[in-house]
Amino acid sequence: NADLPWNSAVAAMLGWADGRGIGRTVAIIGPGNAASVRVAERVGFRSAGEVAYKDGKVLLFERIASS
């Protein structure tokens, strides 16, 4: 699966954030970027809707760290 290296990189970043007590992380993903949505969902992000960003709309995903 082509997303696998990204899974590891994102998981490492989230481990770093969790280790520093960062409770909430977000990701903005361009509409139609299915691969990034899959990676985000695999590492625990959930959709928080669509939001305006610059001159368009993006998908907003959020992850709340487990305590």
Side-chain angles (χ1 to χ4, degrees):
N1 185 335
D3 320 24
L4 290 180
W6 293 111
N7 288 342
S8 297
V10 173
M13 181 276 302
L14 292 173
W16 178 89
D18 292 350
R20 283 153 183 79
I22 298 170
R24 178 177 179 255
T25 51
V26 299
I28 55 173
I29 301 172
N33 190 339
S36 290
V37 169
R38 284 193 305 272
V39 169
E41 289 174 339
R42 282 184 189 140
V43 296
F45 283 86
R46 297 294 170 248
S47 177
E50 186 176 82
V51 296
Y53 180 73
K54 296 190 178 184
D55 294 331
K57 298 273 185 178
V58 295
L59 304 175
L60 178 67
F61 283 76
E62 71 176 345
R63 178 184 168 274
I64 307 300
S66 55
S67 28

